[in-house]
Each structure stands twice: as structure tokens, then as C-alpha cells.
Amino acid sequence: QHGVDVLADAHSRAARKLLQAVEVTKRTLSAAPAAPCAVESLAAGADYNASINRTRFDILAKAAYAPLQAAIDDALRAAGYSADQIDQVLLCGGAARVRRLQAAVAARFPAATRVRDDAGELDEVVAAGCAAQAALIAQGAVPPQQPDAFGVAARVLAAPVGLRISADCLEPVLLKNTPLPAARTVRVALPAGETRAYVAVSEGEPVPPRADASDDEADASDDDDEADEAASEPDLPPRYRPSRLLAEMVLELDAATDATRVDVEFFVGTDAKLTVTATEPASGKSITAEIPASS
């Protein structure tokens, strides 16, 4: 309708907004026969509004169910079990309550196998499963697996990235070893009357802690009061300092007020490309910088 391809590389932020809205729609369809999908100012100032019913959703998602059956077979084979030996199947994650998906999973197991979707949040289910498996190993009920038996190669962030506050101070937004993809948003205040928001993005490195003062300097006399002791303590150094400047941006604004804020969104994809977008929500003005992965 508007001639804008939100899935193109030039509209990566719009694509992420659409994916978030689609996730909400998918969850709504788990409990309702139809659901809207709406995104305000998706791209080029245009809003997106649509709706979909559960039948249409199932038709579109049908292609995703066949790989799931193969994944179940692979998991059973790797564990050395047959489908008849499984008492319960716990579904967790964003699609756990999609009814057609539940039916596809249940069809792979006998009727006596209970398929549940009430296990809780994904991170809680994984943690509980790990604890249960560790208890079985500790009791000798199951043999421990080799360390690399289920090894997964996950790409992580090689160095912390954040906002360069000064030559000696970095405010980290994404820390080293953060699993990718990852996204974080920070909100920055501006001085009243400011017409430009300067954003400097940098990699960082930890700042070594300062050496403690000598015992003679640290020991104060009994007559010194606590206020004097607090005043004599040196300021703590910042936790991180900039190591490599990645990008600089200037967002032109109307004169800022005390309430003016700028949202700075960091997104790193699985290809390690960093996209930083600074947006002033009140006016909708924004600017984006893309930093390719380091070689």
C-alpha cells in the first residue's frame, strides 16, 4: 500500500517492531479465535493495522510443524527412548500455546502421554529441568553425559559496547559475552534548551580497581568524625572506559525541556552487526548508525 518493504535492510528497526507486534498477535490467538496486529508508525510515518483469525494463522504456520516432528524424533533417538516411554511432554516458549502445534506434538505420542503447556516461563523451565537432571545424576539414577555431548555453539559479544561519556568513562549497554542476538534500550536526559543530542558509541574495557591507600593513610585518628573520613575518600573510578570508538551521531531537535528524553536502542544480530538508533519519542525524530562486525 505504501511501497515500503519493512523486511529490507534499510528498515531493520521497523522489522523488529513488526516482529514484536506479531508475537503479541500469536499469543492472543492462543486464547481467541481472531486477533489484531497493529504497529504505530511502522515505517515512513505509516501505521500498520491488520487482523487474522486462527484458521488463517494455522494455514500459514503449517510449514513450521513438519520440522518439529523431525526434531522430536531426533531428540528421542539421541536419548535412547521410544515415544511409548514418554510420560509427559512440556511445551514452553512463545509458541507453546498454539493449539495446532500442541495437536501436532500430541499426535507423535500415544494417548497416555500428557502434553502440557503450563510449565511456566522458558528460563524457569530450563533451570528446573537442569536441576532435576543434576539430582538424578547425583543419585546415580542416570549416568552423566560427556561435557561436549550436547555442545551448542552460541555466538556472543566479544567486547562490551555502550555510550561514551568521556575519554575515561563508558556507560555499558551490552556487556561482553552477551548471547546474540541482543537488544537493549537506554533513556538519556538532555539539558534544557539543548537543540542537538550527541551520541558516541564505543567498545569498552574494564577499569582496574584503584590500589587501596596505605595503612597509614587509611587509619584515621579516633578524634576524626565520620564526615571528615567520608570527604577524604577518593571517588571510585568508572567501571568501564572506552577502548574503540564505533560511531558518532548527532540528532537535531527542537529546544529541549526538562522533560525531553532520547531513547538509544542497541541491537546486535547473530552476524555481530551493531545497529544503534537514537529517537526522541515526543517528536519522532531519529537517527541510526550501523556498525559491521569487526573482522
Side-chain angles (χ1 to χ4, degrees):
Q1 181 180 356
H2 298 280
V4 178
D5 182 6
V6 297
L7 300 181
D9 292 341
H11 299 285
S12 57
R13 185 167 181 266
R16 292 196 298 274
K17 292 172 65 175
L18 181 59
L19 287 174
Q20 292 173 350
V22 168
E23 177 67 22
V24 174
T25 301
K26 180 184 68 177
R27 292 174 181 270
T28 303
L29 282 174
S30 300
C37 182
V39 183
E40 184 178 353
S41 187
L42 176 60
D47 298 338
Y48 176 79
N49 292 280
S51 62
I52 186 172
N53 59 44
R54 187 183 296 160
T55 301
R56 177 64 175 166
F57 175 84
D58 287 334
I59 293 174
L60 294 174
K62 183 178 180 181
Y65 300 153
L68 177 63
Q69 299 290 343
I72 293 174
D73 291 339
D74 291 343
L76 290 171
R77 187 163 43 252
Y81 289 100
S82 67
D84 295 337
Q85 295 175 290
I86 305 302
D87 297 322
Q88 292 189 50
V89 176
L90 297 180
L91 297 179
C92 57
R97 291 181 172 84
V98 175
R99 299 191 180 184
R100 184 62 63 87
L101 179 65
Q102 294 176 353
V105 173
R108 181 61 186 82
F109 295 91
T113 301
R114 184 184 177 194
V115 177
R116 296 171 47 199
D117 65 354
D118 57 349
E121 297 298 328
L122 176 60
D123 53 351
E124 297 174 358
V125 173
V126 172
C130 290
Q133 184 71 6
L136 292 174
I137 293 174
Q139 296 166 9
V142 296
Q145 299 286 346
Q146 294 299 320
D148 59 348
F150 299 102
V152 177
R155 192 160 191 180
V156 298
L157 199 62
V161 295
L163 298 176
R164 182 181 183 271
I165 306 302
S166 68
D168 299 318
C169 181
L170 177 85
E171 181 64 31
V173 178
L174 292 170
L175 298 179
K176 181 180 179 180
N177 294 328
T178 298
L180 302 181
R184 300 286 189 278
T185 300
V186 293
R187 176 159 288 189
V188 180
L190 294 179
E194 187 65 55
T195 58
R196 302 196 312 168
Y198 170 72
V199 179
V201 181
S202 177
E203 285 186 346
E205 60 185 7
V207 176
R210 291 181 181 176
D212 293 336
S214 65
D215 292 339
D216 292 341
E217 294 176 346
D219 292 337
S221 64
D222 293 338
D223 296 335
D224 291 337
D225 57 32
E226 294 181 358
D228 291 338
E229 291 178 3
S232 65
E233 292 180 356
D235 294 332
L236 294 176
R239 186 179 178 186
Y240 292 90
R241 62 190 174 200
S243 61
R244 184 166 72 97
L245 184 64
L246 299 177
E248 293 179 292
M249 301 185 294
V250 175
L251 179 62
E252 301 290 343
L253 302 169
D254 299 329
T257 66
D258 292 338
T260 300
R261 300 291 186 271
V262 173
D263 291 338
V264 185
E265 179 187 24
F266 286 67
F267 176 79
V268 185
T270 52
D271 57 357
K273 183 178 78 172
L274 171 63
T275 302
V276 182
T277 301
T279 305
E280 201 273 295
S283 65
K285 295 180 179 180
S286 67
I287 188 171
T288 298
E290 293 187 347
I291 302 98
S294 302
S295 57

